[in-house]
Amino acid sequence: MDPVLFLVGLVKVVLGGLVAALGIWLALRGLSRILGSQPVEELKQGNVAAGIVHATSLVALGMLVQHAVLATSDAVDLTVRASSFQPMMVGRLLLVATLHVGLSLGVGVAVLGLGILLFDRMTPGIDELAEVRKGNVAAALILSAMLLVLALLTAPGLQSALDGLIPFPQLPEGTLRAPS
């Protein structure tokens, strides 16, 4: 048994859980403000359409933030395995991880919110948000599909942009590095 590896695994579980909880809170609060909806009230009323859209927004945000969690997890592995481990490295890692994950959550909520607003403007014959509030499941499915496609297509760009913030070590000349 490797107690260090076990401890690192537990730290990653806690980190993932904290990011998920923060992401859920941000997605529900942030998107509800942007969209002018009240997810808790809509769910209490049994609005299936609203439930579909809110559930999909959580999945889409998870897709956008997944890279930040993986990058932080990799940084934890590199820090623990570094031959020159120093306690100050942990503080710097926490700062970079907080910045990385926080930015990805904020940008993710903004991208999804703006995407919904733009999609609503691009379909002038129907107000998808109003239809979802009324319980229109068909409108919810289209809006949900748009959220997933938006997350799938913007996640690589978000990943590349945020990778520019991580202080990666300089690799020796001639070393190949896989693209993000």
Side-chain angles (χ1 to χ4, degrees):
M1 182 172 139
D2 186 348
V4 173
L5 184 59
F6 179 73
L7 183 61
V8 168
L10 289 178
V11 167
K12 290 179 184 182
V13 168
V14 169
L15 173 70
L18 290 174
V19 171
L22 182 60
I24 290 167
W25 180 80
L26 270 176
L28 290 177
R29 299 271 303 175
L31 288 175
S32 66
R33 286 180 190 247
I34 291 170
L35 304 176
S37 67
Q38 297 177 342
V40 174
E41 290 303 315
E42 291 169 342
L43 296 176
K44 281 182 181 178
Q45 295 171 358
N47 186 341
V48 175
I52 291 170
V53 171
H54 289 297
T56 304
S57 70
L58 293 176
V59 172
L61 185 63
M63 293 165 65
L64 289 168
V65 177
Q66 177 185 13
H67 171 71
V69 174
L70 289 173
T72 301
S73 178
D74 290 344
V76 168
D77 287 343
L78 290 173
T79 301
V80 170
R81 290 189 169 94
S83 58
S84 60
F85 177 75
Q86 299 168 350
M88 288 199 50
M89 294 170 79
V90 173
R92 185 170 182 216
L93 173 64
L94 285 173
L95 179 66
V96 171
T98 302
L99 177 67
H100 201 244
V101 171
L103 277 173
S104 67
L105 283 168
V107 170
V109 168
V111 163
L112 295 176
L114 288 173
I116 289 173
L117 294 175
L118 287 173
F119 184 73
D120 192 45
R121 301 260 190 262
M122 292 179 350
T123 53
I126 185 169
D127 182 357
E128 286 87 1
L129 299 175
E131 291 297 318
V132 168
R133 282 187 212 103
K134 288 189 243 178
N136 185 337
V137 175
L141 291 173
I142 293 296
L143 202 52
S144 295
M146 187 277 308
L147 284 170
L148 291 175
V149 168
L150 186 63
L152 284 169
L153 297 179
T154 59
L158 178 59
Q159 174 183 347
S160 294
L162 291 175
D163 278 351
L165 299 175
I166 297 175
F168 286 113
Q170 190 66 23
L171 297 175
E173 188 69 32
T175 305
L176 293 177
R177 184 174 141 205
S180 310

